[in-house]
Amino acid sequence: MTQTYSTTIELRFSDLDGYGHVNSAVYFTYLETARVKLFREPFEELTRQGVFLLVARAECDFKLPILFTDSVSVSVRMSRVGGASFDLEYRLHDGKGKTFANARTTMVCFDNNAKATVPVPGSIRALASAETPAFKQGDNGHAR
Amino acid sequence: MTQTYSTTIELRFSDLDGYGHVNSAVYFTYLETARVKLFREPFEELTRQGVFLLVARAECDFKLPILFTDSVSVSVRMSRVGGASFDLEYRLHDGKGKTFANARTTMVCFDNNAKATVPVPGSIRALASAETPAFKQGDNGHAR
Amino acid sequence: MTQTYSTTIELRFSDLDGYGHVNSAVYFTYLETARVKLFREPFEELTRQGVFLLVARAECDFKLPILFTDSVSVSVRMSRVGGASFDLEYRLHDGKGKTFANARTTMVCFDNNAKATVPVPGSIRALASAETPAFKQGDNGHAR
Amino acid sequence: MTQTYSTTIELRFSDLDGYGHVNSAVYFTYLETARVKLFREPFEELTRQGVFLLVARAECDFKLPILFTDSVSVSVRMSRVGGASFDLEYRLHDGKGKTFANARTTMVCFDNNAKATVPVPGSIRALASAETPAFKQGDNGHAR
């Protein structure tokens, strides 16, 4: 059982499209932004080593359009850790009970030098544990 | 049984991210670009009427990274037409047998004036038929 | 003589391009993000009225590449207010003396219903005054 | 005196913003897309060598909003070649006399391994000559 990490997302006016809503592809950018914040320290260290965290699968159920005046938070938890991959579950919401979308990604760890998948590094695996500070303190200072 | 529509995508250098691959969220932009080309005529007419084609669900299985030197095509077919929604299936490929990703979206038709979903318009429904010219002639001139 | 408003920018991994730097076009997105934060209240009210703040001219001198590990702030000041247009000057920096870029935009006020430029609204004009709270308190709480 | 290279740009629905126009920052993405098409061969070779073509300065005069139904072409010419930098001039237009924007960029050649600017490579310099095929045959097959 893992903790959930929550962070706010800074909307950009250019995130909107011709419908006046945040474009549906940008929801996946919000997922990535939350994910990279969650993993910041291991992410930067792994990137330096040439180990990439690649998206193997992404899915999103869009519940409500996001308008520019909305506040957007992403809550994310690691729902599975396997040998060379792990799953993340996300909720995009307004912090006050309104859910914009639910989403899931499967991530694989890829050594860009060896051009091969590698086992999930310990620094990522550790984030699955409830005791990890990264899950306790998001940018906006609260785990849920 | 429906025809498949294929179109090439113009890559942009800014589609790449820090990994040197096309960013995973941009795959969904490619899906949208193909979809909007397929639906161009009804899309523009519906937009004028305030009827939006919204993504209710999107999923993508990423098979291979896309590099800037790759050629990218999207093949799309309408796999289901229901009352107020329809499904599209996509394959992102290089036109020569290499598959970058497989994807699916569920689209809903939303009347932005009435703020309510509406039945799938006939102009969209017609595209599900094999005889539709839009499916026979993509930007790159071939259906598969 | 006007106050300067400063705000931090949330970088996204997808802002990087194939060079591993923030893409040059994204600098202009950062300018817009800062500008829209500065103008948030009048911006939302004007948008509801159909009055758009359009960019008539933009220029940017790029001094240093922005890496994903960099912190980015934008400081912006209104350097000119004319009849139907005004100028903004920006500095993109790390908050510690490193300047990434200097930029300027000329903005025009456009009534999208009348399809004509309109005089700079009082709510925008007021921001040029040193006493305006918006200039005293950015998202990160300090004017410089 | 140099030739002008022209190419069409594939618009994306997500290029629009909340105003229903192509976002102003995206104009710079269009410039880059045209530039990279013009330079494709030397660009790919230089990138492999770790030589980056960086934007040192960009400026754009926005004349008309671009709507999703517009056709957009970029015409670009090399207006100056110096020791370690060169200038490009651009016109964004509809191919039928309507100008959306005029723009200029100053490019510098940067050796990412040596972390130093380098002289403009001969492969780029050659493009300034009127005899260069790349200037004679754009993607849409005509120089102007």
Side-chain angles (χ1 to χ4, degrees):
Chain A
M1 171 62 189
T2 64
Q3 289 278 354
T4 297
Y5 166 89
S6 291
T7 186
T8 56
I9 296 291
E10 181 169 280
L11 268 67
R12 299 176 180 177
F13 186 63
S14 54
D15 292 344
L16 305 176
D17 65 20
Y19 287 158
H21 308 157
V22 169
N23 184 262
S24 60
V26 176
Y27 283 58
F28 293 94
T29 303
Y30 293 174
L31 302 185
E32 179 175 72
T33 300
R35 183 168 71 229
V36 170
K37 280 190 193 180
L38 164 61
F39 291 139
R40 184 172 298 277
E41 275 188 53
F43 177 79
E44 291 180 0
E45 174 56 23
L46 291 170
T47 301
R48 264 191 297 275
Q49 297 170 13
V51 175
F52 294 174
L53 297 179
L54 301 183
V55 180
R57 178 176 166 79
E59 54 183 274
C60 184
D61 289 289
F62 300 82
K63 300 299 186 189
L64 282 175
I66 302 175
L67 306 179
F68 191 61
T69 48
D70 283 322
S71 294
V72 177
S73 291
V74 179
S75 293
V76 52
R77 60 183 284 276
M78 203 181 290
S79 55
R80 186 188 64 86
V81 187
S85 71
F86 58 95
D87 293 347
L88 298 170
E89 290 184 357
Y90 313 78
R91 193 166 68 92
L92 277 79
H93 58 94
D94 72 345
K96 290 178 294 189
K98 188 193 284 185
T99 295
F100 300 116
N102 293 309
R104 284 149 297 278
T105 58
T106 298
M107 311 298 299
V108 292
C109 304
F110 184 81
D111 185 322
N112 195 48
N113 301 307
K115 301 290 177 199
T117 55
V118 288
V120 178
S123 57
I124 297 291
R125 202 173 286 274
L127 293 174
S129 129
E131 312 306 325
T132 305
F135 275 97
K136 292 228 172 108
Q137 197 168 56
D139 268 18
N140 54 353
H142 56 280
R144 296 181 196 190
Chain B
M1 170 63 190
T2 65
Q3 289 277 353
T4 297
Y5 166 88
S6 291
T7 186
T8 55
I9 296 290
E10 180 169 281
L11 268 67
R12 299 176 179 177
F13 186 62
S14 54
D15 291 344
L16 305 177
D17 66 19
Y19 286 158
H21 308 158
V22 169
N23 185 262
S24 60
V26 176
Y27 284 58
F28 293 94
T29 303
Y30 293 173
L31 302 184
E32 178 175 72
T33 300
R35 183 168 72 229
V36 170
K37 280 190 193 179
L38 164 61
F39 291 137
R40 184 172 299 276
E41 275 188 55
F43 177 80
E44 291 180 0
E45 174 57 23
L46 291 169
T47 301
R48 263 191 298 274
Q49 297 172 12
V51 175
F52 294 175
L53 298 179
L54 301 183
V55 181
R57 177 175 166 79
E59 54 183 274
C60 184
D61 289 289
F62 299 81
K63 300 300 186 188
L64 282 175
I66 302 175
L67 306 180
F68 191 63
T69 48
D70 284 321
S71 293
V72 178
S73 291
V74 179
S75 294
V76 52
R77 60 183 283 275
M78 203 179 291
S79 56
R80 187 189 63 87
V81 186
S85 71
F86 58 95
D87 292 347
L88 298 170
E89 290 184 355
Y90 313 78
R91 192 166 69 91
L92 278 80
H93 58 94
D94 72 346
K96 290 178 294 188
K98 189 193 283 186
T99 295
F100 299 116
N102 293 308
R104 282 150 299 277
T105 59
T106 297
M107 312 298 300
V108 293
C109 304
F110 184 82
D111 184 324
N112 195 49
N113 301 308
K115 301 290 178 199
T117 55
V118 290
V120 178
S123 57
I124 297 290
R125 201 172 288 274
L127 292 175
S129 128
E131 312 307 325
T132 306
F135 274 97
K136 292 234 172 102
Q137 197 169 56
D139 269 19
N140 54 355
H142 56 281
R144 295 180 199 191
Chain C
M1 171 62 191
T2 65
Q3 288 279 353
T4 296
Y5 167 88
S6 291
T7 186
T8 56
I9 297 290
E10 182 169 278
L11 267 67
R12 299 176 179 176
F13 187 62
S14 54
D15 291 344
L16 304 177
D17 65 20
Y19 287 158
H21 308 157
V22 169
N23 185 262
S24 60
V26 176
Y27 283 59
F28 293 94
T29 303
Y30 292 173
L31 302 184
E32 179 175 71
T33 301
R35 183 168 71 229
V36 170
K37 280 191 192 180
L38 164 61
F39 291 137
R40 184 172 298 274
E41 275 188 55
F43 177 79
E44 292 180 359
E45 174 57 24
L46 290 170
T47 300
R48 263 191 299 275
Q49 299 172 10
V51 175
F52 294 175
L53 298 179
L54 301 183
V55 180
R57 177 177 167 78
E59 55 183 273
C60 184
D61 288 289
F62 300 82
K63 300 299 188 189
L64 282 174
I66 301 175
L67 306 179
F68 191 62
T69 48
D70 283 320
S71 294
V72 177
S73 291
V74 179
S75 294
V76 52
R77 60 184 284 276
M78 203 180 290
S79 55
R80 185 188 65 86
V81 187
S85 71
F86 59 94
D87 292 347
L88 297 170
E89 290 185 355
Y90 312 77
R91 193 166 69 92
L92 277 80
H93 58 94
D94 73 346
K96 290 178 295 188
K98 189 193 283 186
T99 296
F100 299 116
N102 293 308
R104 282 151 297 278
T105 58
T106 297
M107 312 297 299
V108 292
C109 303
F110 183 82
D111 185 323
N112 195 48
N113 301 309
K115 301 292 177 198
T117 55
V118 289
V120 178
S123 57
I124 296 291
R125 202 174 286 275
L127 292 174
S129 127
E131 312 306 324
T132 306
F135 275 97
K136 292 232 171 105
Q137 198 169 54
D139 269 19
N140 53 355
H142 56 282
R144 297 183 196 185
Chain D
M1 174 61 190
T2 66
Q3 288 278 353
T4 297
Y5 166 89
S6 291
T7 187
T8 55
I9 296 290
E10 181 170 279
L11 267 66
R12 300 176 179 176
F13 186 63
S14 55
D15 292 344
L16 304 177
D17 65 21
Y19 287 158
H21 308 158
V22 169
N23 185 262
S24 59
V26 176
Y27 283 58
F28 292 95
T29 303
Y30 293 174
L31 302 185
E32 179 174 72
T33 300
R35 183 168 70 229
V36 169
K37 280 190 191 178
L38 164 61
F39 291 138
R40 184 172 298 275
E41 274 188 57
F43 177 79
E44 291 180 0
E45 174 57 23
L46 291 170
T47 301
R48 264 191 297 276
Q49 298 172 11
V51 174
F52 294 175
L53 297 180
L54 301 183
V55 180
R57 177 176 168 78
E59 54 183 274
C60 185
D61 288 289
F62 300 81
K63 300 299 186 188
L64 282 175
I66 301 175
L67 306 180
F68 192 61
T69 48
D70 284 320
S71 294
V72 178
S73 292
V74 179
S75 294
V76 53
R77 59 184 285 275
M78 203 181 291
S79 55
R80 186 188 63 86
V81 187
S85 71
F86 58 95
D87 292 348
L88 297 170
E89 290 185 355
Y90 313 76
R91 192 166 70 92
L92 278 79
H93 58 94
D94 72 347
K96 290 179 292 190
K98 189 194 282 187
T99 296
F100 299 115
N102 293 308
R104 284 150 297 278
T105 58
T106 298
M107 311 297 299
V108 292
C109 304
F110 183 81
D111 184 324
N112 195 47
N113 301 308
K115 301 292 178 198
T117 55
V118 289
V120 178
S123 57
I124 296 292
R125 201 173 286 274
L127 292 175
S129 128
E131 311 308 324
T132 306
F135 275 97
K136 291 230 172 107
Q137 198 170 55
D139 268 18
N140 53 357
H142 55 282
R144 295 182 198 190

